[in-house]
């Protein structure tokens, strides 16, 4: 009994120790997850003057409510660094300092490297955009109209303090807007600032909001008009091939408390501006809180089987499948689309097949391996405006049939079979006649 009691006591102690260890591990994992989540929401905001922070308090408060940790700094502050000991000090960057030309530790090359590492940037310009900010915008696919103000004598706000119709009402959202902002309608935007010319040779950038056909850019007090009409872009977004996102606004005032709270007169009705909806939605997209896709559970195997293989035989039937999920800012949910395409290629695609979804985010297709052997690639590329890019490549070997896998008799060879047997029969007949026939 004593031995049993001792054994039972040891078992209880071991069980308690194991439970305690498991609890500690669970707590440690939870803390690590929270730390990773917190570290991915560090936002550095660069402003021309720290007194401007209160001017955008509504917008900044919405970012805090979304879980972002904001840090404000002056771009020419030598004590603030974008890179410290080889690591970036933030995960997202907001450049609300269009008029500062001296970026002490935030030069263009560092910000571009920041983007190349997969981080996100929001940039606001103005008619007084400095050369350093203009060069940064130009390297991201748009050319700012420096020293120019957008004027519209037909679509302007009646409370324009300048009286020159430079505070305009913009409502010409492009065909790309719903892909970036969602299908929900946004009220017209109150805009005061400069315009952008989106480069046609950059397929990664998309205009979101354009100026109306009656708008034009005026360079100071001169009569020069650098651009006019719908060629002027007011807001544009870029998604790099590494899924880093950049949004460029021609107006800093678009995010201000005044423009967010103000009411405008549209078609004889007084309505609230859509600035807050536009600012929050485009920021959610830019900071990876919407339209983010992830690929998982990628499999390929013979039809009717589940084991994945590295080698297939010609003319076999293969099934390829994967799961896709979309992040909505709070949780991952299944993403279903009918335009996923798979290519089975060796230099050139031999098979191109559209995948079918089951309504739960699972996509699959079946096809026959071509009668060509070599190194083939399962290639999946999904690129749609507004959504993050999905890519997957898997190499497999396609080999010919083994000697014992061929059919015993091939129908196409029947003429040769007949010729062989007729020759044998002819030899037998000739031998019989030669041996048993006298002259």
């Amino acid at each position: 009994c004593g031995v049993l009691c001792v054994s039972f006591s040891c078992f209880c102690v071991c069980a308690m120790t194991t439970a305690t260890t498991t609890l500690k591990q669970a707590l440690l994992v939870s803390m690590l997850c929270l730390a990773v989540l917190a570290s991915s929401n560090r936002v550095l905001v660069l402003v021309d003057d720290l007194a401007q922070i209160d001017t955008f308090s509504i917008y900044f408060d919405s970012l805090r409510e979304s879980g972002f940790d904001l840090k404000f700094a002056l771009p020419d502050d030598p004590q603030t660094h974008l890179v410290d000991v080889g690591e970036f000090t933030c995960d997202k960057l907001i450049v609300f300092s269009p008029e500062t030309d001296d970026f002490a530790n935030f030069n263009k090359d560092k910000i571009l490297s920041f983007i190349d590492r997969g981080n996100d940037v929001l940039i606001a310009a103005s008619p007084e955009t400095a050369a350093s900010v203009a060069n940064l915008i130009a390297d991201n696919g748009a050319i700012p109209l420096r020293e120019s103000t957008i004027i519209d004598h037909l679509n302007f706000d009646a409370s324009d303090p300048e009286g020159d119709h430079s505070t305009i009402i913009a409502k010409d959202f492009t065909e790309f807007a719903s892909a970036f902002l969602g299908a929900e309608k946004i009220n017209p935007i109150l805009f005061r600032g400069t315009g952008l010319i989106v480069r046609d040779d950059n397929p990664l950038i998309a205009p979101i909001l354009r100026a109306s056909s009656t708008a034009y850019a005026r360079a100071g007090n001169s009569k020069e008009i650098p651009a006019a009409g719908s060629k002027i872009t007011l807001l544009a977004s870029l998604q790099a091939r590494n899924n880093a996102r950049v949004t460029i606004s021609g107006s800093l005032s678009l995010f201000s408390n005044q423009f967010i709270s103000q009411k405008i007169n549209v078609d004889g009705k007084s309505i609230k501006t859509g600035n807050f909806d536009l600012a929050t939605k485009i920021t959610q997209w830019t900071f990876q809180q919407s339209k983010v896709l992830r690929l998982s559970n990628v499999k390929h195997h013979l039809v009717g089987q589940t084991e994945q293989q590295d080698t297939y035989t010609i003319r076999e039937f293969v099934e390829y499948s994967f799961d896709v999920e979309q992040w909505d800012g709070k949780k991952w949910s299944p993403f279903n689309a009918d335009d996923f395409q798979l290519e089975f290629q060796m230099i050139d695609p031999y098979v191109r097949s559209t995948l079918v979804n089951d309504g739960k985010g699972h996509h699959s297709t079946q096809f026959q391996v071509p009668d060509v052997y070599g190194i083939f690639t399962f290639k999946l590329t999904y690129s749609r405006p507004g959504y993050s890019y999905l890519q997957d490549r898997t190499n497999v070997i396609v080999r010919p049939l083994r000697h014992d896998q061929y059919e015993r008799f091939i129908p196409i060879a029947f003429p040769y079979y007949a010729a062989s047997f007729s020759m044998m029969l002819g030899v037998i007949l000739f031998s019989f006649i030669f041996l048993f026939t006298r002259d």
Side-chain angles (χ1 to χ4, degrees), residues 12-29:
C12 291
V13 171
C14 291
M16 293 177 62
T17 304
T18 303
T20 304
T21 303
T22 304
L23 180 61
K24 289 181 178 179
Q25 291 176 348
L27 291 174
L28 180 60
V29 171

Side-chain angles (χ1 to χ4, degrees), residues 377-396:
T377 301
F378 289 101
K379 180 183 177 182
L380 174 69
T381 302
Y382 191 74
S383 174
R384 297 296 179 271
Y387 289 100
S388 53
Y389 301 136
L390 294 179
Q391 291 185 349
D392 185 75
R393 286 174 172 80
T394 305
N395 294 332
V396 294

Side-chain angles (χ1 to χ4, degrees), residues 160-228:
D160 185 355
E162 302 295 335
D164 58 355
H165 301 168
S166 61
T167 302
I168 66 174
I169 298 175
K171 51 187 175 182
D172 293 341
F173 289 96
T174 67
E175 65 275 15
F176 300 105
S178 60
F180 290 81
L181 306 175
E184 186 177 349
K185 185 180 179 180
I186 298 178
N187 286 344
I189 306 302
L190 199 60
F191 185 96
R192 182 172 66 236
T194 189
L196 309 168
I197 302 298
V198 174
R199 295 173 54 179
D200 295 332
D201 59 348
N202 190 338
L204 303 178
I205 190 170
I208 306 299
L209 180 65
R210 293 187 188 276
S212 67
S213 58
T214 57
Y216 64 93
R218 185 182 65 188
N221 295 322
S222 68
K223 296 182 179 180
E224 181 183 357
I225 300 178

Side-chain angles (χ1 to χ4, degrees), residues 238-412:
L238 173 143
Q239 181 161 259
R241 291 185 176 89
N242 63 350
N243 281 329
R245 294 176 173 181
V246 179
T247 292
I248 306 167
S249 171
S251 170
L252 180 60
S253 301
L254 185 151
F255 302 89
S256 67
N257 296 348
Q258 178 186 353
F259 279 29
I260 287 176
S261 304
Q262 190 168 332
K263 289 189 176 182
I264 54 178
N265 191 348
V266 178
D267 298 330
K269 297 180 180 179
S270 178
I271 61 174
K272 190 176 181 180
T273 68
N275 287 49
F276 182 75
D277 291 336
L278 176 62
T280 54
K281 288 184 177 181
I282 199 61
T283 304
Q284 287 175 356
W285 180 87
T286 306
F287 289 170
Q288 309 281 344
Q289 286 195 322
S290 67
K291 305 291 185 177
V292 178
L293 303 180
R294 73 176 180 184
L295 192 67
S296 63
N297 200 25
V298 180
K299 295 181 180 179
H300 57 86
H301 52 78
L302 293 175
V303 174
Q305 299 183 13
T306 58
E307 183 178 357
Q308 185 164 301
Q309 302 183 22
D310 296 328
T311 303
Y312 293 99
T313 306
I314 58 173
R315 299 199 298 272
E316 286 184 325
F317 286 90
V318 175
E319 180 174 344
Y320 182 89
S321 63
F322 55 84
D323 296 330
V324 182
E325 295 175 300
Q326 179 177 353
W327 178 253
D328 61 0
K330 297 181 180 179
K331 65 180 185 305
W332 291 99
S333 57
F335 177 80
N336 300 294
D338 298 324
D339 53 355
F340 280 104
Q341 278 195 339
L342 170 71
E343 290 185 351
F344 193 62
Q345 65 174 31
M346 183 174 60
I347 302 178
D348 294 324
Y350 281 76
V351 176
R352 183 179 287 118
S353 177
T354 302
L355 289 90
V356 180
N357 71 81
D358 63 352
K360 300 179 181 179
H362 184 72
H363 300 73
S364 62
T365 186
Q366 297 180 358
F367 64 93
Q368 187 178 22
V369 177
D371 195 358
V372 178
Y373 55 88
I375 306 297
F376 279 79
T377 301
F378 289 101
K379 180 183 177 182
L380 174 69
T381 302
Y382 191 74
S383 174
R384 297 296 179 271
Y387 289 100
S388 53
Y389 301 136
L390 294 179
Q391 291 185 349
D392 185 75
R393 286 174 172 80
T394 305
N395 294 332
V396 294
I397 299 173
V398 176
R399 63 172 181 80
L401 296 170
R402 297 193 306 268
H403 70 280
D404 59 348
Q405 288 183 305
Y406 287 98
E407 297 180 13
R408 179 67 65 179
F409 295 102
I410 303 175
I412 198 173

Side-chain angles (χ1 to χ4, degrees), residues 92-134:
K92 321 289 182 185
L93 180 64
I94 297 179
V95 182
F96 275 8
S97 53
E99 300 178 15
T100 301
D101 200 13
D102 180 18
F103 278 56
N105 297 311
F106 299 89
N107 60 54
K108 181 188 70 172
D109 293 335
K110 288 184 178 179
I111 296 179
L112 292 178
S113 176
F114 182 76
I115 298 172
D116 289 340
R117 290 278 294 272
N119 298 294
D120 310 311
V121 179
L122 174 63
I123 308 172
S126 72
E128 295 79 23
T129 301
S132 57
V133 179

